[in-house]
Amino acid sequence: MHDDVKEMNMHEEDKRKNPAYFSKLVSSFIERCAKRSSSETNIAMLTEDQTNQLLSSFWIQANQTDNTPFNYEAIGHSYSLTVLSSRLKNSSNDNIIQFFQLPLSLRSVALTPSEVLPASCQRSIFTLAMSMLAFAGKVCQITELSDLLRCFSSSKVSPHLRIGEDLQLYVRLQSDLGSYGSESDQEVAKSMLSYCRTKVGINDQRVLDVIASALSNFIEMGKDVLTKELTEMFTPEEMPLFGK
């Protein structure tokens, strides 16, 4: 584990800039875990610490101001792979809460006016968060969650990213990717974020209730306590796998 972290930290700038490398690195890390796990399992069973480090890396990468649509796609796919490799419904209390707390926190970052993050980045973070929530909900068989999030899966939210039928995040390769982050794109993004704030405000409590009710069936924690935990901001590890 220490050797893996040391190797990963040797190329921090490459990991942050190159989405393909970032995604490949996550896959490589999980494959190494698989080799060290029981030969009876086909997918690696990540430890709680490994999962926390991966989720922290996604948080840090998603909050970079120079991300491109491809970066967000890589984060989304890496998150999905981590969900599958963590046996979500059999995870510890903290882990399963963090898998939902992370996208909920990213959603909050996306919808809070910022002087640091460009509007185009916030719009992409919002789309990423919706994809994460929907995918984790699917794995945990929270059918109603997918229904509540369906309105955010439409093509209107982001001209550069889309949520596929498999609830994964994809770059719209036919879109004008060169316009991403331009002045006109920023204005369109601001308008869309305003629309999303209104929509989220309408069903936000219902989303939290649905998630908390479902998770209370997997872990020994009351619904009210779970709701409180879910609304707290995600806190990354001090020494994440992928340093800033």
Side-chain angles (χ1 to χ4, degrees), residues 3 22 28 69 123 145 163 175 225:
D3 291 340
F22 178 86
S28 175
R123 179 186 57 196
L145 181 59
I163 299 175
S175 65
V225 177

Side-chain angles (χ1 to χ4, degrees), residues 1-234:
M1 178 66 183
H2 290 300
D3 291 340
D4 291 342
V5 174
K6 182 177 179 181
E7 178 182 341
M8 291 173 180
N9 286 336
M10 289 175 63
H11 305 287
E12 291 179 357
E13 187 65 15
D14 288 338
K15 289 178 293 192
R16 188 173 68 83
K17 295 289 187 181
N18 189 326
Y21 185 70
F22 178 86
S23 185
K24 181 180 179 181
L25 203 58
V26 172
S27 299
S28 175
F29 175 73
I30 292 176
E31 285 173 5
R32 291 187 187 193
C33 294
K35 291 178 182 179
R36 298 168 188 171
S37 300
S38 169
S39 58
E40 296 178 0
T41 59
N42 294 324
I43 302 178
M45 180 64 178
L46 296 176
T47 67
E48 184 173 341
D49 285 342
Q50 290 167 344
T51 300
N52 288 342
Q53 288 183 324
L54 284 167
L55 294 179
S56 294
S57 75
F58 303 152
W59 171 266
I60 290 174
Q61 179 71 23
N63 280 281
Q64 297 296 331
T65 58
D66 57 353
N67 278 333
T68 70
F70 291 100
N71 289 96
Y72 297 110
E73 181 187 67
I75 297 168
H77 284 265
S78 298
Y79 171 85
S80 300
L81 181 59
T82 305
V83 168
L84 296 174
S85 300
S86 298
R87 304 293 200 280
L88 195 53
K89 290 202 289 187
N90 297 321
S91 296
S92 69
N93 288 8
D94 288 341
N95 266 172
I96 195 169
I97 291 171
Q98 282 192 317
F99 270 108
F100 286 92
Q101 190 186 65
L102 173 61
L104 287 170
S105 295
L106 286 174
R107 186 188 66 170
S108 178
V109 167
L111 297 180
T112 301
S114 172
E115 295 182 359
V116 179
L117 283 169
S120 57
C121 286
Q122 289 185 288
R123 179 186 57 196
S124 296
I125 291 173
F126 181 82
T127 310
L128 169 66
M130 292 301 99
S131 172
M132 287 176 161
L133 269 180
F135 188 86
K138 179 182 178 181
V139 171
C140 289
Q141 299 178 328
I142 310 177
T143 306
E144 190 175 350
L145 181 59
S146 297
D147 295 336
L148 288 169
L149 300 178
R150 186 165 289 118
C151 63
F152 299 115
S153 302
S154 69
S155 59
K156 295 188 297 183
V157 176
S158 173
H160 305 104
L161 292 167
R162 66 178 180 86
I163 299 175
E165 292 184 3
D166 58 358
L167 305 180
Q168 299 266 22
L169 191 67
Y170 296 97
V171 173
R172 295 180 184 277
L173 297 177
Q174 289 76 29
S175 65
D176 183 8
L177 293 172
S179 69
Y180 184 82
S182 65
E183 186 174 339
S184 60
D185 186 45
Q186 300 291 0
E187 292 303 315
V188 173
K190 289 177 184 177
S191 177
M192 180 51 64
L193 288 170
S194 177
Y195 166 80
C196 290
R197 288 187 194 101
T198 302
K199 295 291 288 184
V200 166
I202 293 173
N203 68 0
D204 189 45
Q205 190 56 52
R206 183 57 187 159
V207 168
L208 290 172
D209 286 345
V210 167
I211 296 174
S213 295
L215 296 189
S216 65
N217 296 321
F218 306 142
I219 58 182
E220 297 178 0
M221 193 175 290
K223 180 181 172 182
D224 291 342
V225 177
L226 274 167
T227 300
K228 183 177 182 296
E229 291 278 343
L230 290 168
T231 55
E232 292 181 358
M233 189 63 73
F234 178 84

